[in-house]
Amino acid sequence: MQDTDIKYVILSGGIGGAKLVEGFYHSMDPEQLMVIANTGDDIIQYGLRICPDLDIIIYTLANIVQKGQGWGIQNDSFNCLSHLSTMYSQPSWFNLGDKDLATHIFRTDQLSQGIPLSQVTQLMCDRFNIKSTIVPMAEDYIPTKVETEMGMLHFEEYFVKYQFLPKLKKIIYGGTSNAYIPESIDKELKKCSKIIIAPSNPLLSIAPITEIPYYSNILKKYRNKVIGVSPIIQGKAVKGPTIENFKSLGLDASCIGVARYYQKLMKTFVFDESEIDFTENLEGKGADSDSLSLLNRSLKEMDIIGYAFDTVMSSLEKKKALAKFIIDIDI
Ligand code: GDP
C-alpha cells in the first residue's frame, strides 16, 4: 500500500477493464491510482489459487501480458501443463503457461502461510515495480457460480471450458451476504476524487464486486463521483458474452441497458460516440434531430449525465485518451 493519496479508484474485470487501467496508469501519477479487481473469476486448479482478473491487470501494467490475447504471460511455454495432463491422464481445459504457473505457486504458497490476498497482490506488484495499488475485491475465496441449461457451473467452467455456450439462467455471486473487504479500500473509496466502473462485463466482472453489500452501499452513497464506461458499443460487445448474458437474463443489451443496470450506483456515464447516430437511427428519428438525443433523454430520466467519447481502446494512445477524458470530466 502506497502512502500517496489515491485520486482515482477503478473497479475492473479482466481484459476490457485492464485496457482502461493501462490508460489511466500512463496518464497520471500512477501512485494515485487504485484498482479494485474482480475475484469472482477465481478458481483453484491443481491445488493452486488462480486469480485471472488480478493477473491480467498485473501482467498488463508490468508490460508482460501476451499482447493480442490480453491474458497470460507473453511467449510463455506450456511444458508443465502438458506433463500435468499426462499425470492426470486427461487434458486440461484451463490454459496455464509455465511462467504463469509460477505466479499461482507463489500466491498459493503465500496464502498458505496466512498472508491475506491483498498483501500477496501487493508483493507481486512490488516485484514488477507497479506503482499503483491493485487490490482484490475481497480477501476470501468467493467465486461466482452460474446456473445454466447444463446445470450449475463454476464461472470458469462456463467461460473457458464451455466457451460461454450454455444459456445462463441465473448468476450466483459469492459475496452477497458477507465478504472480507481489504482494509486499505474503505478510506480510499471515501476520499478519492472519482470512482470509475471500467468497461467490463457488468454481470460477470462488475456485479461480483457491486453485489457485495459493502460496495453497493458505498457506491450509492458516493454516487456523484462514480463514472461508468459502457462495454457495449452499438449493441455489440467488443469481446466476450456481455450481450448474450444481458439477453439471457432479460435485460436490455444496449448501452442504455448498461446505464440502467448501473443507475443507482453512478451519476455519470461515458458511452461510445458512435451511439448517438446509432440510437437515433434505431428510433428512425435521424441524427440531426434538434431535440436532445434519445440517449441523453433516457439518461436524464435515470438522473445520469452522459458523455460521448471514442471508447474503442485499440491502442495505448486511445486508452490514454479515454483515461484523460474521464480525468477531465467535471463532476
Ligand atoms: P474479462 O474479465 O476478461 O471477460 O474482461 P472484462 O469483463 O473486463 O471485459 C469484457 C467487456 O469489455 C466486454 O463487454 C467488452 O465489450 C468490453 N470491452 C473490451 N474492450 C473494450 C474497449 O476497447 N472499449 C469498450 N468500451 N469496451 C471494451
Side-chain angles (χ1 to χ4, degrees), residues 2 9 13 49 68 118 147 272 326:
Q2 322 280 344
V9 178
R49 171 74 175 272
S118 61
E147 197 181 311
D272 196 77
I326 295 169

Side-chain angles (χ1 to χ4, degrees), residues 255-311:
C255 102
I256 296 178
V258 173
R260 191 164 292 118
Y261 187 72
Y262 290 145
Q263 182 178 358
K264 292 199 175 91
L265 308 177
M266 69 173 188
K267 174 76 182 179
T268 306
F269 186 54
V270 180
F271 54 84
D272 196 77
E273 59 193 11
S274 66
E275 288 285 355
I276 300 179
D277 286 358
F278 177 75
T279 317
E280 293 300 322
N281 288 336
L282 274 185
E283 283 293 295
K285 282 172 59 79
D288 56 354
S289 161
D290 56 1
S291 63
L292 194 62
S293 76
L294 167 75
L295 222 157
N296 275 324
R297 274 204 319 278
S298 307
L299 294 176
K300 204 163 177 236
E301 279 160 21
M302 296 183 230
D303 184 31
I304 291 172
I305 301 164
Y307 287 90
F309 195 73
D310 179 358
T311 68

Side-chain angles (χ1 to χ4, degrees), residues 201-220:
N201 183 323
L203 299 168
L204 294 176
S205 295
I206 299 298
I209 309 175
T210 54
E211 286 293 316
I212 297 174
Y214 165 78
Y215 290 107
S216 56
N217 290 335
I218 209 151
L219 263 63
K220 280 178 198 158

Side-chain angles (χ1 to χ4, degrees), residues 53-183:
D53 288 356
L54 274 174
D55 291 344
I56 286 170
I57 294 165
I58 292 172
Y59 295 164
T60 300
L61 295 187
N63 205 20
I64 56 167
V65 75
Q66 178 67 55
K67 298 224 162 57
Q69 182 172 270
W71 55 268
I73 295 181
Q74 63 196 359
N75 304 323
D76 212 347
S77 47
F78 289 84
N79 296 316
C80 185
L81 194 69
S82 151
H83 194 60
L84 280 168
S85 300
T86 308
M87 307 291 279
Y88 284 88
S89 71
Q90 58 180 17
S92 168
W93 53 267
F94 202 77
N95 266 327
L96 295 165
D98 293 332
K99 290 182 188 167
D100 193 25
L101 271 162
T103 299
H104 313 315
I105 292 170
F106 173 75
R107 175 186 293 121
T108 308
D109 177 37
Q110 300 291 304
L111 289 173
S112 73
Q113 294 176 40
I115 302 175
L117 182 60
S118 61
Q119 274 182 42
V120 181
T121 307
Q122 184 60 53
L123 278 175
M124 287 170 57
C125 289
D126 292 345
R127 301 287 192 269
F128 288 117
N129 202 19
I130 292 171
K131 302 204 162 40
S132 300
T133 305
I134 300 169
V135 270
M137 67 185 198
E139 302 287 14
D140 30 2
Y141 180 61
I142 43 174
T144 304
K145 296 209 171 66
V146 289
E147 197 181 311
T148 72
E149 55 193 6
M150 288 177 65
M152 192 73 86
L153 301 172
H154 181 285
F155 168 83
E156 295 295 354
E157 285 180 302
Y158 162 74
F159 202 80
V160 179
K161 189 173 184 181
Y162 297 113
Q163 298 283 305
F164 40 85
L165 288 172
K167 205 167 171 239
L168 281 190
K169 289 184 179 166
K170 197 175 170 196
I171 306 173
I172 297 113
Y173 301 106
T176 44
S177 60
N178 215 352
Y180 176 16
I181 309 298
E183 274 170 24

